[in-house]
């Protein structure tokens, strides 16, 4: 295609072009929406947008069919038939809001704990969290515990940031890129753009993933690892680097807690904690004067090994001493881990050698003077051009937190965090743990008609910050921040329905969900969850979960199980705020946020959920939503975005602040702020000064910039915490040496899993089943053409995936006599499914897999009840229990990471048996009565979209 032809394609095809932000995945790309006669004719990428620079994938282009989808809800609904029947009656918004306010008001007055408010993949969590805090319930979180909290928590606790929305590889300079467990739906356009840069420059790309699809298919090297063993592979690489002494010692001493002294006093309450001075500053051993001095003492030469007397009779060792002892153990040698990981010792050793070679032999130096937070002047930035990226593949295991920590440990050891060519922070990160709140939700934090005393989510500093009562029982319905999952920084949405059904730790009265398809693909044990939603109390005849309010734009499976439906708009009909308070679109060199705005007005009786939440907040007279007379503080969400302040001058958006719109970060509300965003392509960008762009964790210029922007009120430098003192505090509690003492039921698990140094243990889903009886791993991936369940009902995208076979390694096919199109039973310790198979060679030899969220329940999403997604599509979820098998004492824990509560989707072990040929996958569920009119078309054609 010639340049002239390429440009011609971007000429307006309608009457008007409106620039907004895509919502077909979480990349938040800029898009140009072409309108003609008031309807969308074309969606293309915005070439001026900093995220995608004009690139747009199939999902983004198919936003037309997302907007005109027959699955759109069209009016508020109240249930008139049994739950699950899909029998509803349309009602007015006034009736819907009055009903919701009555239900919510009664609970708030009686016992605010009895409301559980959880949201799915929304992008307005700063608002929903604020609303829940003002309401006063401790039971709020978003989808992160179901998705990737291990990535976020491990990164923030170790290096003050993480992958995905907190940082990215230095695509322009990296020479070796290693990708762990990333399916192609995540960060899709930026990763594709980045990989193309690598290919153009001849940089090497290595992918570690059990399945070779998407990104892995174009990698220079594919390492087909066995699921759940990434951490062991990483620590074997660490072993090799330590043996070869290929680590950046200067970087470790300057920026990590490697030299901090760890008290060596077994049997005492301070064993394994850091030695500190009277002001609480960690101590290091100064090798010249041979005495302890506070960390950061200018000119001090800190020891990294040795055992030193503290002066009070106790001894201590640098944390790096413990680190080296641990990972130099022969059990981490490549030969020792090869069988477990499925990766040869030669490959592991080669990966370690290549990381070391590129990091140290191909060092980058950028001449740009800068000053660190200790006042030392540097002439430039030293770069280690090795970068990593990871996501759910390593996160969704019960050992995922420690695995993610291990990857950050590897980055720090080679000096590749926020340097040229390495992983780079995206503002407002990095943030030390001290800049994050502790979680709120203890009994004293809430009461009748009162706001919660602080934010729900945060990071405990130790067992004293757990949300448990005097008897040690959880105060949250999902048991987040309890002994079950102390660092559940994103909550545990996957446990809400099961716990509420069981009344453990207490029953609830109202379940309020937004964009959370808990009756289908957003739950483990899907069939069991459906039964829980339908189950009634034998004595009263009432549902065990009495009232369910659900908000969504589409007729998902969850709609049928709600009592009250609040229909949302599509992303092209509302304002959204992609905020620095929440999930911004920043890049390493720039602070950025964005908005969506109504490029079209709704043609149905629907309202933006954010506006509905503001309305309910005012009706309930919640502080921050209504004045003392009960009048709404904000007329709508656009007004909230502009005028709301978390601190003086700090609001949801950082751009165009001040009375004249000439302030950034901090400034008074600007009545034209949203207009300015729209004029600017619906985004805002402020470049970081050159002397502040790298080493942000210890760069004084960046810290000052962050204060000016309003990220902090005072500088907040980050020390990389390779050794986690907070985890050691829990181990001391489990040993009975520290108050509060861990309950007997949890002590073994804490001692086994809460190692203060990154560790590897076999996932629970494997240790608690017979591995010989269930010899294979079973995992899912999201395809590049889909994103969560809402993409898989899109008329255009359905032409790519209408069903999902089970992909089976060739060797297993040969053993069982399977060919493409055969049917098998897939059997776990929890359940069984019947599915169609397809042979695949480019997959780990013990791993079965399929595409996630393609399977649909008949009658939902406005699809024909005989659509292939309902007949041959399937979910792996039916095989996964939300609870682990009973332990020796009969106790059962959630199927989650024991540290963060991350849902352990990928721990699943199965066997397969050849089945009789069939036409439909099993299990089967009765079709749900459709919520949309019967005039649904048999075909949906571009330009002839179905209008309700």
């Amino acid at each position: 295609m010639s340049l002239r032809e390429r440009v011609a394609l971007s000429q307006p095809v309608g009457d008007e072009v409106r620039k907004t932000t895509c919502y077909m995945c979480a990349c938040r790309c800029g898009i140009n929406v072409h309108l003609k006669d008031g309807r969308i004719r074309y969606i293309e990428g915005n070439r001026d947008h900093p995220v995608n620079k004009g690139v747009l994938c199939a999902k983004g282009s198919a936003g037309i069919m997302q907007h005109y989808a027959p699955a759109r809800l069209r009016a508020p609904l109240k249930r008139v038939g049994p739950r699950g029947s899909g029998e509803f009656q349309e009602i007015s918004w006034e009736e819907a809001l009055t009903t919701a306010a009555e239900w919510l008001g009664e609970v708030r007055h009686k016992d605010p704990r009895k409301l559980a408010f959880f949201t799915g993949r929304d992008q307005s969590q700063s608002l929903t969290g604020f609303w829940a805090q003002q309401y006063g319930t401790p039971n709020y979180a978003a989808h992160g515990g179901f998705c990737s909290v291990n990535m976020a928590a491990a990164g923030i606790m170790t290096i003050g940031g993480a992958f995905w929305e907190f940082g990215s590889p230095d695509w322009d300079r990296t020479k070796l890129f290693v990708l762990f467990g990333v399916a192609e739906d995540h960060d899709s356009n930026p990763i594709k753009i980045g990989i193309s840069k690598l290919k153009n420059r001849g940089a090497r790309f290595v992918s570690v993933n059990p399945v070779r699809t998407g990104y892995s298919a174009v990698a220079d090297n594919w390492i087909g690892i066995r699921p759940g063993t990434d951490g062991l592979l990483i620590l074997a690489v660490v072993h090799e680097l330590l043996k070869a002494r290929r680590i950046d010692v200067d970087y470790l001493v300057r920026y990590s807690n490697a030299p901090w002294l760890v008290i060596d006093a077994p049997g005492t309450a301070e064993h394994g904690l850091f030695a500190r001075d009277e002001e609480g500053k960690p101590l290091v051993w100064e090798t010249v004067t041979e005495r302890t001095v506070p960390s950061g003492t200018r000119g001090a030469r800190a020891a990294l090994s040795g055992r030193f007397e503290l002066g009070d009779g106790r001894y201590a060792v640098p944390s790096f001493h413990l680190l080296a002892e641990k990972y130099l153990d022969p059990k981490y040698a490549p030969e020792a881990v090869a069988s477990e990981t499925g990766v040869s010792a030669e490959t592991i050793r080669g990966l370690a050698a290549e990381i070391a070679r590129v990091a140290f032999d191909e060092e980058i130096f950028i001449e740009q003077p800068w000053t660190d937070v200790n006042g030392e002047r540097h002439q430039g930035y030293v770069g280690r051009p090795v970068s990593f990226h990871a996501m759910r593949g390593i996160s969704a295991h019960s050992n995922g937190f420690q695995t993610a920590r291990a990857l950050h440990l590897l980055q720090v050891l080679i000096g590749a965090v926020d340097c040229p060519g390495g992983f780079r922070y995206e503002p407002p990160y990095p943030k030390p743990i001290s800049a994050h709140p502790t979680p709120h939700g203890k009994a004293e934090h809430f009461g009748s008609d009162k706001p919660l005393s602080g934010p729900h989510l945060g990071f405990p500093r130790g067992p004293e910050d757990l949300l448990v009562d005097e008897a040690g029982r959880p105060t949250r319905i999902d048991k987040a921040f309890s002994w079950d999952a102390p660092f559940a920084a994103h909550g545990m949405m996957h446990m809400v329905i099961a716990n509420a059904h069981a009344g453990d730790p207490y029953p609830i009265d109202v379940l309020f969900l937004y964009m959370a398809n808990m009756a289908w693909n957003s739950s483990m044990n899907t069939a069991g969850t459906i039964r829980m939603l339908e189950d009634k109390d034998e004595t009263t005849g009432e549902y065990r979960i009495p009232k369910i309010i659900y908000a969504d734009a589409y007729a998902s499976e969850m709609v049928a199980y709600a009592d009250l439906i609040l229909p949302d708009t599509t992303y092209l009909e509302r304002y959204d705020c992609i905020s620095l308070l929440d999930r911004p679109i920043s890049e390493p060199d720039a602070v950025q946020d964005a908005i969506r705005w109504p490029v079209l007005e709704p043609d149905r009786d629907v309202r933006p959920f954010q506006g509905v939440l503001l309305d309910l907040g005012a009706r309930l007279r919640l502080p921050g939503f209504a004045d003392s007379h009960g009048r709404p503080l904000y007329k709508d969400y656009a007004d909230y975005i502009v005028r709301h302040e978390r601190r003086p001058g700090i609001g949801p958006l950082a751009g165009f602040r001040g009375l004249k719109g000439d302030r950034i970060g901090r400034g008074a509300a600007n009545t034209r702020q949203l207009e300015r965003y729209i004029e600017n392509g619906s985004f805002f960008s402020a470049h970081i000064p050159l002397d502040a762009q790298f080493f942000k964790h210890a760069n004084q210029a960046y810290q000052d910039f962050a204060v000016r922007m309003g990220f902090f009120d005072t500088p907040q430098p980050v020390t990389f915490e390779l050794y986690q003192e907070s985890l050691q505090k829990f181990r001391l509690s489990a040993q009975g040496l520290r108050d509060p003492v861990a309950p007997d039921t949890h002590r073994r698990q804490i001692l086994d899993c809460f190692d203060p140094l990154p560790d590897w243990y076999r996932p629970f889903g494997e240790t608690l089943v017979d591995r010989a009886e269930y010899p294979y791993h079973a995992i899912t991936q999201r395809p590049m053409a889909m994103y969560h369940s809402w993409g898989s009902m899109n008329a255009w995208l359905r032409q790519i995936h209408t069903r999902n076979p089970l992909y089976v390694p060739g060797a297993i096919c040969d053993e069982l006599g399977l060919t493409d199109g055969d049917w098998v039973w897939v059997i776990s310790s929890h359940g069984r499914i019947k599915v169609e198979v397809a042979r695949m060679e480019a997959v780990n030899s013990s791993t079965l897999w399929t595409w996630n969220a393609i399977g649909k329940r008949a009658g939902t999403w406005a699809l024909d009840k005989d659509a292939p997604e309902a007949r041959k599509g399937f979910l792996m979820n039916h095989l996964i229990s939300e609870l682990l098998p009973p332990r020796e004492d009969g106790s059962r824990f959630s199927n989650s990471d024991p540290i963060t509560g991350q849902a352990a989707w990928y721990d699943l072990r199965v066997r397969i048996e050849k089945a009789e040929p069939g036409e439909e996958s099993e299990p089967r569920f009765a079709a749900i009565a459709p919520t949309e009119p019967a005039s649904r078309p048999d075909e949906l054609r571009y330009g002839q979209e179905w209008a309700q």
Side-chain angles (χ1 to χ4, degrees):
M1 181 182 291
S2 70
L3 178 62
R4 178 173 296 179
E5 289 169 331
R6 182 176 67 82
V7 172
L9 284 177
S10 295
Q11 297 303 311
V13 297
D15 303 321
E16 185 179 2
V17 177
R18 295 183 174 180
K19 299 177 184 293
T20 186
T21 306
C22 188
Y23 197 12
M24 294 299 288
C25 80
C27 288
R28 290 80 52 86
C29 295
I31 54 175
N32 299 338
V33 181
H34 294 246
L35 305 176
K36 185 176 179 63
D37 300 325
R39 295 175 67 79
I40 307 172
R41 306 314 303 159
Y42 176 53
I43 297 177
E44 65 173 343
N46 177 358
R47 297 184 183 184
D48 297 323
H49 199 276
V51 170
N52 59 314
K53 301 175 178 63
V55 174
L56 199 62
C57 67
K59 297 189 295 292
S61 298
I64 297 173
M65 290 304 181
Q66 200 76 1
H67 176 75
Y68 291 118
R72 293 178 302 170
L73 297 170
R74 67 177 189 176
L77 303 169
K78 71 175 181 180
R79 180 177 56 81
V80 294
R83 279 191 189 162
S85 66
E87 297 174 24
F88 289 94
Q89 175 185 329
E90 289 191 4
I91 58 176
S92 69
W93 270 104
E94 183 55 36
E95 181 179 352
L97 292 169
T98 298
T99 301
E102 287 176 355
W103 292 355
L104 295 168
E106 181 182 349
V107 170
R108 185 171 187 252
H109 180 66
K110 182 176 64 175
D111 184 353
R113 296 180 308 161
K114 298 299 185 72
L115 168 66
F117 178 37
F118 284 77
T119 73
R121 196 61 175 87
D122 77 287
Q123 294 178 6
S124 54
Q125 291 161 29
S126 64
L127 169 64
T128 53
F130 180 65
W131 187 94
Q133 180 180 334
Q134 300 307 95
Y135 179 94
T137 179
N139 295 315
Y140 164 81
H143 81 298
F146 207 52
C147 179
S148 57
V149 65
N150 276 336
M151 297 304 306
I156 290 170
M157 291 174 66
T158 307
I159 63 170
F163 303 119
W164 190 214
E165 288 155 327
F166 309 108
S168 72
D170 188 345
W171 296 112
D172 293 319
R173 300 180 183 89
T174 193
K175 299 179 182 179
L176 173 62
F177 174 52
V178 187
L179 189 68
F180 282 87
V182 177
E184 43 264 44
D185 70 317
H186 266 109
D187 209 13
S188 181
N189 283 340
I191 286 183
K192 285 182 287 189
I193 295 170
I195 291 175
S196 70
K197 290 181 177 180
L198 300 181
K199 296 288 185 180
N200 287 335
R201 293 191 290 103
R204 173 167 285 190
F205 168 26
V206 178
S207 180
V208 183
N209 197 311
V211 180
R212 189 168 197 181
T213 62
Y215 307 134
S216 298
V218 299
D220 298 296
N221 301 92
W222 170 59
I223 299 176
I225 195 167
R226 197 169 70 76
T229 65
D230 302 79
L232 195 55
L233 170 71
I234 294 165
L235 294 179
V237 171
V238 168
H239 173 91
E240 289 294 289
L241 294 175
L242 290 171
K243 269 182 57 178
R245 301 194 176 192
R246 297 284 268 173
I247 60 174
D248 192 331
V249 174
D250 181 67
Y251 189 91
L252 287 168
V253 171
R254 286 180 183 275
Y255 306 126
S256 81
N257 65 6
W260 292 8
L261 293 176
V262 178
I263 297 170
D264 183 14
T268 72
E270 293 191 323
H271 176 63
L273 304 184
F274 291 122
R276 300 177 184 272
D277 65 12
E278 294 179 354
E279 297 179 358
K281 294 181 179 179
L283 297 174
V284 301
W285 185 260
E286 212 285 312
T287 59
V288 176
T289 60
E290 297 186 311
R291 61 187 177 91
T292 59
V293 298
S295 173
T297 298
R298 194 164 186 176
R301 296 187 178 183
L304 288 178
S305 63
R307 189 168 185 265
F308 309 105
E309 187 173 359
L310 295 174
D312 57 5
R314 297 180 303 170
Y315 286 84
V317 298
S319 69
F320 185 81
H321 183 110
L322 301 175
L323 183 154
E325 280 187 339
K326 179 180 177 71
Y327 303 126
L328 284 172
D329 190 305
K331 73 178 184 179
Y332 292 109
E335 290 80 7
V337 308
S339 176
E340 186 80 47
T341 61
V343 181
S344 71
E346 180 183 14
T347 298
I348 297 171
R349 193 171 287 109
L351 177 62
E354 184 66 1
I355 289 172
R357 185 191 68 80
V358 176
F360 299 106
D361 298 346
E362 299 194 24
E363 173 186 299
I364 295 172
F365 186 79
I366 295 179
E367 293 187 9
Q368 170 60 57
W370 65 285
T371 302
D372 66 30
V373 292
N374 293 320
E376 185 173 346
R377 189 69 171 166
H378 303 265
Q379 293 307 306
Y381 300 117
V382 175
R384 309 288 180 203
V386 179
S387 60
F388 301 88
H389 191 70
M391 200 50 199
R392 191 181 296 112
I394 71 170
S395 178
H397 290 283
S398 52
N399 62 10
F401 175 78
Q402 291 284 24
T403 294
R405 286 187 65 216
L407 187 52
H408 293 302
L409 164 68
L410 174 56
Q411 293 191 110
V412 175
L413 285 176
I414 62 172
V417 174
D418 212 50
C419 70
F423 164 86
R424 299 185 62 195
Y425 296 112
E426 296 175 348
Y429 288 86
K431 293 181 181 180
I433 286 296
S434 58
H436 292 265
T438 56
H440 291 73
K442 293 185 179 181
E444 61 268 25
H445 290 163
F446 55 87
S448 176
D449 295 317
K450 294 180 180 178
L452 203 65
S453 59
H456 302 80
L457 307 177
F459 291 89
R461 310 307 194 250
E464 63 276 9
D465 292 327
L466 291 181
L467 303 185
V468 295
D469 63 18
E470 293 181 356
R473 294 185 298 260
T475 61
R476 285 178 56 107
I477 189 65
D478 59 354
K479 301 186 182 180
F481 305 112
S482 73
W483 294 104
D484 283 31
F487 293 88
H490 290 170
M492 299 173 65
M493 187 174 75
H494 54 292
M495 292 306 303
V496 171
I497 290 174
N499 291 350
H501 175 265
D504 178 20
Y506 47 79
I508 64 171
D509 290 340
V510 177
L511 176 62
F512 190 4
L513 298 174
Y514 175 46
M515 289 181 64
N517 195 13
M518 302 302 294
W520 198 246
N521 67 290
S522 290
S523 65
M524 301 188 284
N525 185 19
T526 299
T529 300
I530 289 173
R531 288 193 295 271
M532 294 175 203
L533 293 170
E534 295 176 340
D535 198 18
K536 294 184 177 181
D537 185 275
E538 294 179 359
T539 304
T540 65
E542 298 296 323
Y543 286 108
R544 287 189 178 273
I545 302 177
K547 299 179 178 70
I548 300 177
I549 304 171
Y550 185 54
D552 204 327
Y554 304 101
S556 72
E557 285 84 358
M558 186 61 210
V559 166
Y561 292 91
D563 305 304
L564 180 65
I565 304 296
L566 306 176
D568 193 15
T569 60
T570 74
Y571 71 100
L572 296 172
E573 297 170 322
R574 65 169 180 256
Y575 282 98
D576 273 334
C577 180
I578 306 158
S579 169
L580 287 161
L581 299 177
D582 190 6
R583 311 175 73 104
I585 61 165
S586 295
E587 295 292 329
D589 294 336
V591 178
Q592 296 168 174
D593 56 19
I595 67 166
R596 297 185 186 92
W597 59 285
V599 299
L600 290 167
E601 291 298 320
D603 58 359
R604 310 163 316 289
D605 191 15
V606 297
R607 297 184 183 181
F609 177 69
Q610 295 91 337
V612 169
L613 208 58
L614 292 171
D615 188 311
L616 289 173
R619 289 172 186 250
L620 295 168
R621 297 195 172 196
L622 302 185
F625 292 87
D627 64 18
S628 59
H629 300 288
R631 293 174 299 212
L633 291 179
Y634 307 101
K635 64 180 181 180
D636 54 25
Y637 188 47
D639 189 36
Y640 174 92
I641 292 172
V642 171
R643 294 199 297 112
H644 177 72
E645 289 185 327
R646 288 298 166 89
R647 307 195 310 275
I650 305 296
L653 292 173
F656 310 110
R657 300 194 66 82
L659 299 179
K660 298 180 179 179
D662 56 355
R663 301 285 182 88
I664 62 173
R666 298 175 185 265
N670 170 21
T671 57
R672 291 196 66 247
Q673 186 181 38
L674 293 178
E675 295 174 46
R676 294 289 300 276
Y677 268 83
I678 293 169
E679 292 167 359
N680 198 55
S682 293
F683 69 91
F684 160 78
S685 182
H687 283 272
I688 300 171
L690 292 176
D691 63 346
Q693 287 188 2
F694 295 97
F695 294 86
K696 299 182 185 77
H697 52 279
N699 187 321
Q700 188 61 54
Y702 176 78
Q703 292 293 318
D704 294 340
F705 173 80
V707 171
R708 293 195 301 273
M709 286 295 302
F711 304 159
F712 317 115
D713 290 330
T714 58
Q716 299 284 338
V718 175
T719 298
F720 303 145
E721 299 193 22
L722 306 182
Y723 183 98
Q724 281 284 333
E725 185 181 53
S726 55
L727 295 181
Q728 178 63 13
K729 290 178 180 178
F730 279 90
R731 298 183 88 182
L732 293 171
S733 291
Q735 293 169 352
L737 298 172
R738 182 184 177 91
D739 289 328
V741 174
D744 292 341
T745 51
H746 293 72
R747 289 189 180 190
R748 186 73 264 156
Q749 179 167 280
I750 292 172
L751 292 173
D752 288 345
C753 302
F754 284 54
D755 195 310
L757 288 166
D759 197 24
W760 184 84
Y761 49 86
R762 187 169 287 142
F764 298 157
E766 296 188 51
T767 60
L768 298 177
V769 300
D770 187 333
R771 299 172 77 204
E773 183 179 358
Y774 303 103
Y776 307 127
H777 300 271
I779 62 174
T780 62
Q781 289 200 129
R782 289 200 175 94
M784 193 172 290
M786 306 290 188
Y787 187 72
H788 291 256
S789 54
W790 70 72
S792 51
M793 60 82 187
N794 184 288
W796 285 357
L797 301 179
R798 287 185 65 224
Q799 297 177 59
I800 303 173
H801 300 280
T802 55
R803 61 188 180 91
N804 55 310
L806 179 72
Y807 294 98
V808 180
I812 298 176
C813 288
D814 293 340
E815 178 184 348
L816 299 179
L818 299 175
T819 60
D820 286 359
D822 283 349
W823 290 76
V824 298
W825 287 104
V826 187
I827 304 163
S828 73
S829 62
H830 174 71
R832 55 195 278 139
I833 58 177
K834 184 179 180 181
V835 301
E836 197 173 14
V837 303
R839 182 186 182 105
M840 184 174 182
E841 305 297 341
V843 61
N844 174 271
S845 61
S846 64
T847 302
L848 319 173
W849 74 280
T850 192
W851 298 119
N852 186 36
I854 303 299
K856 294 284 183 285
R857 184 166 176 180
T860 61
W861 297 97
L863 299 176
D864 187 277
K865 64 181 178 60
D866 293 322
E869 291 91 339
R871 293 180 63 249
K872 290 192 173 183
F874 69 93
L875 296 179
M876 206 81 84
N877 310 48
H878 299 299
L879 300 174
I880 310 172
S881 174
E882 74 277 358
L883 294 175
L884 291 166
R887 304 200 174 194
E888 293 180 0
D889 61 0
S891 62
R892 298 188 72 180
F893 289 81
S894 72
N895 188 5
S896 309
D897 188 296
I899 302 172
T900 65
Q902 160 87 58
W905 288 90
Y906 291 166
D907 286 1
L908 180 62
R909 298 279 295 204
V910 300
R911 70 175 186 270
I912 59 174
E913 299 173 359
K914 194 169 184 177
E916 292 296 317
E919 294 297 325
E920 295 182 329
S921 60
E922 296 183 26
R924 306 299 304 163
F925 295 84
I928 291 175
T931 57
E932 80 283 355
S935 59
R936 179 190 61 238
D938 292 330
E939 288 188 358
L940 193 64
R941 293 180 177 274
Y942 176 71
Q944 299 176 357
E945 301 90 352
W946 181 61
Q948 297 190 19

